[in-house]
Amino acid sequence: MGRKPTKIRVVPLGGLKEIGKNMTVIEYRDEMIIVDCGLSFPEDEMLGIDIVIPDITYIEKNKDKIKAIVLTHGHEDHIGALPYVLKKINVPVYGTRLTLGLVEVKLKEHKLTDVHLQRVDAGTTIQLGPFEVEYIKSSHSIPDACAIAIHTSLGVILHTGDFKIDYTPIDEEMIDLQRIAELGKKGILLMLADSTNVERPGTTMSEKNVGITFENIFGGTKSRIIVATFASNVHRIQQIVNAAYKHNRKIVISGRSMVNVSSVAQELGALTVPEGLIIDVNDIDKYDDHEIVIITTGSQGEAMAGLSRMATSDHRKLDIRAGDTVVISATPIPGNEKTVSRVINQLFEKGADVIYESLAEVHVSGHACQEELKLMHRLANPKYFIPVHGEYRHLKQHAKLAENLGMPKENIFTIQNGNVVEITKDYAKLAGNVPSGHVLVDGLGVGDVGNIVLRDRKHLAEDGLMVVVVTLTKENGKIAAGPDIISRGFVYVRESEDLIVEAKQVVKSALDMCEQQNTREWSVLKSSIRDVLKDFLYTKTKRRPMILPVIMEV
Amino acid sequence: MGRKPTKIRVVPLGGLKEIGKNMTVIEYRDEMIIVDCGLSFPEDEMLGIDIVIPDITYIEKNKDKIKAIVLTHGHEDHIGALPYVLKKINVPVYGTRLTLGLVEVKLKEHKLTDVHLQRVDAGTTIQLGPFEVEYIKSSHSIPDACAIAIHTSLGVILHTGDFKIDYTPIDEEMIDLQRIAELGKKGILLMLADSTNVERPGTTMSEKNVGITFENIFGGTKSRIIVATFASNVHRIQQIVNAAYKHNRKIVISGRSMVNVSSVAQELGALTVPEGLIIDVNDIDKYDDHEIVIITTGSQGEAMAGLSRMATSDHRKLDIRAGDTVVISATPIPGNEKTVSRVINQLFEKGADVIYESLAEVHVSGHACQEELKLMHRLANPKYFIPVHGEYRHLKQHAKLAENLGMPKENIFTIQNGNVVEITKDYAKLAGNVPSGHVLVDGLGVGDVGNIVLRDRKHLAEDGLMVVVVTLTKENGKIAAGPDIISRGFVYVRESEDLIVEAKQVVKSALDMCEQQNTREWSVLKSSIRDVLKDFLYTKTKRRPMILPVIMEV
């Protein structure tokens, strides 16, 4: 083998120039660790796709070098691709208490049983080959979030994970700024830091602020209260629990992921609920309205989640009643604005009083705003910097922020997934690319839906389709049956009978023409049908349905 | 006929519980006027739909009673349905200078030439049967916007149209608060008022603020400047023109609607451009970068508009170059957040400096915030109130705002499209419904795409389709050819050959089974094929493509 290379290579496989599927490979002395393993949700044009995961060609090729996957926290965009990745490379997974709790649930759903999960606590360090991986307490919108300091003989790499700086966190465990400062004082070689909120000036408010709003709402009404929030936001749930307890309300937990996460969090001690406070949904009618709080999913307006189902009377056990107070304790993720608005409208129409972010402080972000990012940069004071977790606009602004703090431009790497940053003790530079991209998951299919399938779905979605079927005789290519036409998603067939009759005639003429010219090549017949029909339909309707000619022979 | 009814009936046909397609019928003494005639843009689930217009069954039935359509301003959501409505009912259309200028362009595109357009100026009144319609100067994000006071012998109806209160408007013509106050002092029977921004506290900033930002940007860079904004925001364009003139920059106007609107506005005197300031796009290279401003469409990230095309190098004449300063002088309309973000990312990647709303004050709204709405309510002081122009959440909040100002709850009508509010001198009440709803326009088709077609498009978009074709013999129903299978938008066929082969076998077995049972009914054969294939494919892929069985007979 010769001497092992004394370069660090940092290779992001996800999370750059996108929101989601965070995943970064760190290499040193021919060994690798992977930080996070997330999924992202499909873009609008990825029709029918369930989730998106990173392209892991590169780590599959290098699977013998991988020591472990280390997780910063338990959000889907950091752990969601694990079941898919672990099916390809079975390596140990490290994470904190709740992170692994959530991973376990996920692996169970995918029937993955032989994964080695290793719990790490904030403030401790694990040795993984040439990497000493130190977990550093952080703050985020999920408990047990950590930054990770990767100590190597070349220097320290600090990966902030997702973070905010909350001086009054719910669990009383502050982000360990002192340790970050200590590391910074000694010298950090490279920092990778969260860019999500870089466009927002000032600082993100403390989670405690939301608690105060809950106090006011819970104390100020005699009605039932329904709170929708992210299932993973356990600190938020803790504050709902606290307010409910204080105001003598029982809690009903609704929605599969809300039930799952809150029970895992309780088992692990990340959520503390007084005995008997949570009641079964079937017992709800034993209590008066002012004795009830329902905690549910659906804060993003997801059609299948608790809140939407209640709002549309599609929930088996719970319904929204006139006079209910509904709190949407979340902000719409970009792209969800309209679905959230629809649910708000439905709730108002049911006669509920709806409290949402534009009306009251019922949500705070989990990410650092500009002033917090500046603090992180000043404390860590890294030599090199890679902005991560963000679209290009965020990475770019984060780079600018670092520059404004005095970091030399050439020490900042505003890169994309697949880029390799090579670091030695003398320099850092871009050193080529590895395969990267997204893999679409649709049902059981992982990667079997690509651009052609999506293009067809888009075409079908826009203008529907027309199937033209004709049976020809083997002997002389004359029409034995048909042409028949079936359309879907194009026009109301009943109201467009004339159009279909005319279309058949157009097809027949085209086939007759081919016959006269003695053309019996199927591909030619099909493209004649497609061409004449396309022109005919566009002239008549200004639409371009997909045209599928089918020829059979008897 | 007997005595004519002495009731006013107010019938909104659009704009309530939705953003867009604003249209309200006002009836008195068996005569009608229509205020505005707008379109809306399709919701996400309206796949392939171009625009949405109101259901006008009610006014078609009553077309002999209609005296006129009176327009408040020239935005699409107030004039966009005119071509469709005027094809059904040819009535005179009244509006201000720029409003009619834009209507003319629109009617020309639709080849409608025999429409009677009648210009009205703010401060004047027209007599339309029993209605005296007074145009009152207003402020909005388009010039020549008016509120409308409809005087009847029963009292005055004030329709605010879209408005904000701008104390320093670009055209120096203040919204005529004095006239509204005067009418209010005498007594307004009913007010219909814009609810768009009711959730925002405070006041909307003056359009002039944006001008100050432009001044700073234009004076602070030597690079080319590209500003994207709404074509109809002529005051915004005026301010770009002013800043360009001051900083010795020539202007290139790009994008069909930007060219159209700015030339109409110039002809009509709503936009003043110094001689020679606007240059042809082909002459752009004759100037240095610091001498150029490009004004373009595409501020909503629309794929086909100027800015997107420049950002993706898809524009015939203009490209974004490293160092360009791009100003996105607009805010994303709900639902467009992601497309706008995508364009921002693309621009940054091209090396442009991009200035958008979260970074600088480059846009202000055209709608009144809470404090402005309160002022309007206090000045107009109407007896009855209908909140309009908004989703239900906005109408609801606007009703609450009016209540908080002391209006009796029973005098506020939070209603929906099609509801009839009947007003006499003694009372106002809900008095039934008329047909209302949306009509989908897809290409040349108006209303020929409905729920079934949309449901099919959605199904096709999610999982694609599989067409199964089989030819049977007439004599004995045996298979003469096939079954053949064609799929689109489902899986990559090349990578799924086995699946297709198996699927054919499954279909063949189903047909054999039918034959054994002597079943020759096509509907039964088809549903057998559909059922077995559905189960087979779901087991194999967890997807549910649309299955289209086609049977032919020879």
Side-chain angles (χ1 to χ4, degrees):
Chain A
M1 279 289 290
R3 272 185 67 201
K4 285 182 179 170
T6 55
K7 293 165 183 168
I8 293 171
R9 283 160 52 95
V10 178
V11 191
L13 293 179
L16 268 55
K17 293 172 61 168
E18 66 181 345
I19 301 289
K21 69 181 177 65
N22 298 290
M23 185 172 202
T24 309
V25 181
I26 315 268
E27 308 175 25
Y28 188 50
R29 294 185 184 278
D30 251 2
E31 307 212 59
M32 294 181 172
I33 55 172
I34 297 167
V35 181
D36 289 332
C37 187
L39 60 74
S40 67
F41 294 101
E43 297 291 315
D44 289 347
E45 69 275 12
M46 296 176 183
L47 294 167
I49 297 304
D50 301 324
I51 63 163
V52 182
I53 59 173
D55 179 336
I56 57 161
T57 309
Y58 181 64
I59 56 177
E60 280 188 88
K61 268 193 195 153
N62 290 284
K63 62 177 157 190
D64 296 335
K65 300 182 182 171
I66 303 167
K67 306 301 294 178
I69 296 173
V70 296
L71 303 171
T72 58
H73 64 282
H75 277 152
E76 289 292 349
D77 54 337
H78 293 257
I79 68 168
L82 271 177
Y84 305 93
V85 171
L86 290 172
K87 276 174 198 159
K88 306 269 180 144
I89 53 157
N90 193 350
V91 296
V93 177
Y94 291 79
T96 54
R97 181 184 58 167
L98 183 64
T99 308
L100 289 194
L102 296 173
V103 167
E104 266 181 72
V105 173
K106 186 171 286 296
L107 296 182
K108 210 172 280 169
E109 279 169 7
H110 284 260
K111 302 192 172 60
L112 280 164
T113 49
D114 63 339
V115 178
H116 177 68
L117 300 179
Q118 184 65 50
R119 177 168 156 183
V120 194
D121 291 323
T124 66
T125 295
I126 44 176
Q127 188 76 39
L128 297 167
F131 307 101
E132 234 176 69
V133 178
E134 176 185 359
Y135 270 69
I136 300 173
K137 174 78 195 169
S138 183
S139 301
H140 186 44
S141 45
I142 187 168
D144 299 353
C146 278
I148 288 177
I150 302 160
H151 301 259
T152 72
S153 55
L154 269 188
V156 177
I157 300 168
L158 176 68
H159 195 311
T160 66
D162 286 351
F163 80 101
K164 67 187 278 189
I165 295 174
D166 192 336
Y167 297 108
T168 53
I170 302 309
D171 57 6
E172 302 293 342
E173 304 264 348
M174 236 314 261
I175 171 172
D176 195 350
L177 294 179
Q178 293 173 327
R179 177 58 182 154
I180 292 165
E182 186 179 26
L183 290 171
K185 189 87 184 165
K186 289 183 195 156
I188 288 176
L189 185 63
L190 167 72
M191 177 166 79
L192 301 96
D194 179 10
S195 311
T196 312
N197 271 357
V198 69
E199 291 180 351
R200 300 198 198 167
T203 57
T204 297
M205 289 297 98
S206 170
E207 179 64 31
K208 281 244 166 99
N209 289 33
V210 180
I212 295 166
T213 311
F214 285 160
E215 281 286 323
N216 294 336
I217 295 170
F218 283 41
T221 178
K222 292 277 168 210
S223 74
R224 290 205 307 182
I225 294 172
I226 295 105
V227 188
T229 191
F230 297 105
S232 62
N233 200 333
V234 175
H235 288 147
R236 187 71 46 85
I237 297 166
Q238 183 70 63
Q239 299 202 93
I240 302 168
V241 167
N242 296 351
Y245 184 70
K246 183 165 171 190
H247 294 283
N248 296 311
R249 288 174 182 262
K250 298 289 184 188
I251 294 172
V252 171
I253 295 188
S254 170
R256 197 173 62 95
S257 64
M258 191 61 81
V259 170
N260 279 348
V261 176
S262 63
S263 76
V264 169
Q266 275 188 85
E267 277 167 36
L268 296 173
L271 176 68
T272 313
V273 184
E275 190 67 32
L277 195 69
I278 295 178
I279 60 163
D280 191 275
V281 62
N282 295 311
D283 293 334
I284 196 166
D285 291 332
K286 296 182 186 159
Y287 298 86
D288 287 337
D289 284 356
H290 71 271
E291 294 173 316
I292 289 294
V293 174
I294 299 165
I295 307 179
T296 183
T297 52
S299 65
Q300 295 300 308
E302 309 94 311
M304 304 310 286
L307 190 65
S308 292
R309 284 179 180 273
M310 292 179 213
T312 54
S313 300
D314 186 32
H315 196 286
R316 282 181 309 124
K317 313 229 165 174
L318 296 165
D319 201 356
I320 297 295
R321 301 199 301 241
D324 282 348
T325 297
V326 180
V327 182
I328 299 180
S329 180
T331 200
I333 292 169
N336 294 345
E337 292 82 359
K338 289 184 93 167
T339 50
V340 174
S341 196
R342 183 174 301 187
V343 172
I344 291 173
N345 288 323
Q346 288 163 342
L347 293 166
F348 272 127
E349 290 196 53
K350 287 240 163 192
D353 189 17
V354 194
I355 302 173
Y356 43 100
E357 214 190 3
S358 39
L359 305 179
E361 202 176 341
V362 288
H363 179 69
V364 295
S365 170
H367 298 274
C369 292
Q370 286 167 7
E371 296 308 307
E372 293 156 272
L373 292 173
K374 289 177 194 166
L375 177 57
M376 181 58 79
H377 280 265
R378 287 303 195 196
L379 292 182
N381 192 31
K383 184 166 180 193
Y384 303 111
F385 170 50
I386 302 176
V388 296
H389 303 174
E391 297 175 16
Y392 191 68
R393 58 194 277 188
H394 305 117
L395 306 182
K396 184 89 185 168
Q397 299 292 348
H398 202 175
K400 208 185 256 182
L401 179 142
E403 248 184 274
N404 288 341
L405 293 174
M407 184 171 256
K409 206 169 179 164
E410 62 275 17
N411 288 8
I412 303 169
F413 294 84
T414 311
I415 56 172
Q416 57 187 331
N417 296 334
N419 284 169
V420 178
V421 176
E422 185 179 285
I423 306 176
T424 67
K425 61 181 165 43
D426 303 317
Y427 66 85
K429 66 169 192 189
L430 269 178
N433 295 292
V434 307
S436 71
H438 55 235
V439 173
L440 308 180
V441 179
D442 181 4
L444 293 181
V446 180
D448 69 340
V449 170
N451 288 336
I452 296 172
V453 173
L454 289 182
R455 200 190 54 202
D456 284 347
R457 287 184 184 173
K458 181 161 192 287
H459 188 169
L460 291 164
E462 289 283 322
D463 282 328
L465 90 150
M466 188 169 268
V467 182
V468 184
V469 194
V470 63
T471 305
L472 305 177
T473 62
K474 269 195 192 119
E475 322 147 44
N476 56 12
K478 283 194 189 301
I479 296 173
D484 269 6
I485 284 183
I486 298 124
S487 91
R488 287 290 185 282
F490 171 51
V491 287
Y492 270 137
V493 177
R494 288 206 187 141
E495 292 175 14
S496 311
E497 277 175 12
D498 295 351
L499 186 74
I500 303 294
V501 169
E502 279 183 72
K504 278 186 194 169
Q505 202 47 56
V506 165
V507 171
K508 212 167 165 307
S509 307
L511 289 171
D512 289 347
M513 182 76 83
C514 289
E515 204 201 328
Q516 279 165 33
Q517 295 167 349
N518 242 326
T519 309
R520 291 189 59 182
E521 191 75 45
W522 282 14
S523 61
V524 179
L525 298 182
K526 284 183 184 177
S527 73
S528 307
I529 293 172
R530 212 178 276 121
D531 291 347
V532 294
L533 209 47
K534 193 173 121 184
D535 290 348
F536 169 74
L537 294 175
Y538 189 72
T539 309
K540 288 282 180 178
T541 66
K542 289 269 181 294
R543 294 179 208 164
R544 303 186 184 284
M546 181 184 281
I547 296 167
L548 283 181
V550 185
I551 298 173
M552 306 204 82
E553 214 173 44
V554 289
Chain B
M1 281 285 292
R3 269 184 69 201
K4 286 180 179 171
T6 54
K7 293 167 184 166
I8 293 172
R9 283 161 52 97
V10 178
V11 190
L13 293 180
L16 268 56
K17 293 173 61 169
E18 65 181 344
I19 301 289
K21 70 179 174 66
N22 298 291
M23 186 172 200
T24 309
V25 182
I26 316 270
E27 308 174 26
Y28 187 50
R29 293 186 185 278
D30 250 3
E31 308 212 58
M32 294 180 172
I33 55 170
I34 297 167
V35 181
D36 289 332
C37 187
L39 61 73
S40 67
F41 294 101
E43 297 291 315
D44 288 348
E45 70 273 14
M46 297 176 182
L47 294 167
I49 296 304
D50 302 323
I51 62 165
V52 182
I53 59 173
D55 180 335
I56 57 160
T57 310
Y58 180 64
I59 57 177
E60 279 187 88
K61 268 194 197 154
N62 290 283
K63 63 176 156 189
D64 297 335
K65 299 180 182 170
I66 303 167
K67 306 301 295 178
I69 297 173
V70 296
L71 303 171
T72 58
H73 64 284
H75 277 152
E76 288 292 350
D77 55 335
H78 293 257
I79 68 167
L82 271 178
Y84 305 93
V85 171
L86 290 172
K87 276 173 198 160
K88 306 267 180 145
I89 52 156
N90 194 350
V91 296
V93 177
Y94 291 79
T96 54
R97 181 183 59 166
L98 184 64
T99 309
L100 289 196
L102 295 173
V103 167
E104 267 181 70
V105 173
K106 188 172 284 297
L107 296 183
K108 209 171 280 170
E109 280 170 5
H110 283 261
K111 302 193 172 58
L112 280 164
T113 49
D114 63 337
V115 178
H116 177 67
L117 300 179
Q118 183 68 49
R119 177 168 157 183
V120 194
D121 291 323
T124 65
T125 295
I126 44 178
Q127 188 76 40
L128 297 167
F131 307 102
E132 233 176 70
V133 178
E134 177 185 358
Y135 270 69
I136 300 172
K137 174 78 195 169
S138 183
S139 301
H140 187 42
S141 46
I142 188 169
D144 299 354
C146 278
I148 288 177
I150 301 159
H151 301 260
T152 71
S153 55
L154 269 188
V156 177
I157 300 168
L158 177 67
H159 194 311
T160 67
D162 286 351
F163 81 101
K164 66 188 278 190
I165 295 174
D166 192 337
Y167 296 108
T168 54
I170 303 309
D171 58 4
E172 303 292 343
E173 304 262 349
M174 234 318 259
I175 172 173
D176 196 349
L177 294 178
Q178 294 173 326
R179 177 59 181 153
I180 292 165
E182 186 179 26
L183 290 172
K185 188 86 184 166
K186 287 184 196 156
I188 288 175
L189 184 63
L190 167 71
M191 177 166 78
L192 302 96
D194 180 9
S195 310
T196 312
N197 271 357
V198 69
E199 291 180 352
R200 300 198 199 168
T203 57
T204 297
M205 288 297 100
S206 170
E207 179 64 31
K208 282 246 166 96
N209 289 34
V210 180
I212 295 167
T213 311
F214 285 160
E215 282 285 324
N216 293 336
I217 295 170
F218 283 40
T221 179
K222 291 280 167 206
S223 75
R224 290 204 307 182
I225 293 171
I226 295 105
V227 188
T229 191
F230 297 105
S232 62
N233 199 334
V234 176
H235 289 146
R236 187 71 45 85
I237 297 167
Q238 183 70 62
Q239 298 202 93
I240 302 168
V241 167
N242 297 351
Y245 184 69
K246 184 165 170 191
H247 294 282
N248 296 309
R249 289 175 182 261
K250 298 289 184 188
I251 294 172
V252 171
I253 296 188
S254 169
R256 198 173 63 94
S257 64
M258 191 60 80
V259 170
N260 280 348
V261 176
S262 63
S263 76
V264 168
Q266 275 187 84
E267 276 167 36
L268 297 172
L271 176 67
T272 311
V273 184
E275 190 69 29
L277 195 70
I278 295 179
I279 60 164
D280 190 275
V281 63
N282 295 309
D283 294 334
I284 197 167
D285 291 332
K286 296 181 185 161
Y287 298 87
D288 286 339
D289 285 357
H290 70 271
E291 294 173 318
I292 290 292
V293 174
I294 299 165
I295 307 178
T296 183
T297 52
S299 65
Q300 295 301 307
E302 310 94 311
M304 304 310 286
L307 191 65
S308 292
R309 284 179 180 272
M310 292 180 213
T312 53
S313 302
D314 186 33
H315 196 286
R316 281 182 308 122
K317 315 231 166 176
L318 296 166
D319 201 355
I320 298 294
R321 301 199 301 241
D324 282 348
T325 298
V326 180
V327 182
I328 299 181
S329 180
T331 202
I333 293 168
N336 295 345
E337 292 81 358
K338 288 185 95 166
T339 51
V340 173
S341 195
R342 183 175 302 188
V343 172
I344 291 173
N345 288 323
Q346 288 163 341
L347 293 167
F348 271 127
E349 290 198 53
K350 288 241 162 193
D353 190 18
V354 194
I355 302 172
Y356 43 98
E357 215 190 2
S358 39
L359 305 179
E361 202 178 339
V362 288
H363 179 69
V364 295
S365 169
H367 298 274
C369 292
Q370 285 167 7
E371 295 308 306
E372 294 156 272
L373 292 173
K374 288 177 193 165
L375 177 57
M376 181 59 79
H377 279 265
R378 287 303 195 195
L379 292 182
N381 193 29
K383 183 166 181 192
Y384 302 111
F385 170 50
I386 302 176
V388 296
H389 303 173
E391 298 175 16
Y392 191 68
R393 58 194 276 186
H394 305 118
L395 306 182
K396 185 88 186 168
Q397 299 293 350
H398 202 173
K400 207 184 256 183
L401 179 143
E403 247 184 274
N404 288 342
L405 292 174
M407 184 171 254
K409 208 169 176 162
E410 62 275 16
N411 288 9
I412 303 170
F413 293 85
T414 311
I415 56 172
Q416 57 186 333
N417 296 334
N419 284 169
V420 178
V421 176
E422 186 179 283
I423 306 176
T424 68
K425 60 181 167 43
D426 303 317
Y427 67 85
K429 66 170 192 189
L430 269 178
N433 295 292
V434 306
S436 73
H438 56 235
V439 173
L440 308 181
V441 179
D442 182 3
L444 293 181
V446 180
D448 68 340
V449 170
N451 288 337
I452 296 172
V453 173
L454 289 182
R455 200 189 56 202
D456 284 348
R457 286 183 184 174
K458 182 161 190 287
H459 188 170
L460 292 164
E462 288 284 322
D463 282 329
L465 90 150
M466 189 169 266
V467 182
V468 184
V469 193
V470 64
T471 305
L472 305 177
T473 62
K474 272 195 189 118
E475 322 146 44
N476 57 10
K478 284 197 188 300
I479 294 175
D484 269 6
I485 284 183
I486 298 125
S487 90
R488 286 289 186 282
F490 171 51
V491 287
Y492 269 137
V493 177
R494 287 204 189 144
E495 292 176 14
S496 311
E497 276 173 12
D498 295 351
L499 186 74
I500 303 294
V501 170
E502 280 183 73
K504 279 185 195 170
Q505 202 47 56
V506 166
V507 171
K508 210 166 165 311
S509 308
L511 289 171
D512 289 347
M513 182 78 83
C514 290
E515 206 201 325
Q516 281 166 32
Q517 295 166 349
N518 242 329
T519 309
R520 291 190 57 183
E521 190 76 45
W522 281 13
S523 61
V524 179
L525 299 182
K526 284 184 185 178
S527 73
S528 311
I529 293 173
R530 212 178 276 122
D531 291 347
V532 293
L533 210 46
K534 194 173 119 185
D535 289 348
F536 170 74
L537 295 175
Y538 188 72
T539 309
K540 287 283 180 177
T541 67
K542 288 271 183 293
R543 297 180 205 164
R544 303 187 185 282
M546 181 184 281
I547 295 167
L548 284 182
V550 184
I551 298 174
M552 306 203 81
E553 214 173 46
V554 289

